[in-house]
Amino acid sequence: MIIADTGFWLALANRKDQYHQLATNKLNQLKEPLITTHPVITETCYLLLNKLGNYAQCNFMEMWHSGAFQVFELNQSHANRVKELMEKYANLPMDLADASLVILSENLGHGRILTVDQRDFSVYRWKNQYPFNNILFS
């Protein structure tokens, strides 16, 4: 499974986004399913609604409904790890969506991600030591 971040979803939805063609091409090349988290879904819907309107967020929800990606569930046992990550990366700062993706990578045992956020995901480490592999730009 390949992790998908908010910026990737926004690039797919917006033909005017500078990464739209790159995101579309990469998605068409992938042979593995995508996975994300509820905080990323929330952030994506909020930004789609504000930037592109209700139709865009509804299309994104249809993608989820049709099985275009899976969703990892955060639970109470992850709360302390979220807090640890937010404290560790306070200088960026790290938000809940990004923290949830670090936890997802720790659960998957890899850091293969689709993100336009090259700065933050070049700094973040899953399991406090492993770098992310941003396959969007590889």
Side-chain angles (χ1 to χ4, degrees), residues 99-110:
S100 73
L101 294 178
V102 173
I103 291 169
L104 171 55
S105 69
E106 292 172 348
N107 279 268
L108 291 174
H110 72 75

Side-chain angles (χ1 to χ4, degrees), residues 79-122:
N80 192 55
R81 181 66 176 142
V82 168
K83 182 181 78 73
E84 288 173 358
L85 289 164
M86 289 175 166
E87 289 171 348
K88 179 176 182 172
Y89 296 108
N91 61 319
L92 292 175
M94 175 183 269
D95 63 16
L96 177 59
D98 287 356
S100 73
L101 294 178
V102 173
I103 291 169
L104 171 55
S105 69
E106 292 172 348
N107 279 268
L108 291 174
H110 72 75
R112 290 178 298 129
I113 191 167
L114 295 163
T115 183
V116 301
D117 187 354
Q118 297 178 72
R119 182 196 71 169
D120 292 354
F121 281 92
S122 69

Side-chain angles (χ1 to χ4, degrees), residues 29-60:
Q29 295 170 1
L30 294 177
K31 306 275 190 254
E32 293 180 63
L34 300 180
I35 189 167
T36 196
T37 63
H38 284 288
V40 169
I41 290 172
T42 301
E43 184 176 61
T44 300
C45 284
Y46 173 79
L47 293 170
L48 286 171
L49 179 62
N50 284 332
K51 293 181 178 196
L52 300 174
N54 190 54
Y55 182 77
Q57 81 169 342
C58 288
N59 281 345
F60 180 63

Side-chain angles (χ1 to χ4, degrees), residues 56-68:
Q57 81 169 342
C58 288
N59 281 345
F60 180 63
M61 287 295 93
E62 180 56 34
M63 288 176 63
W64 182 18
H65 175 73
S66 69

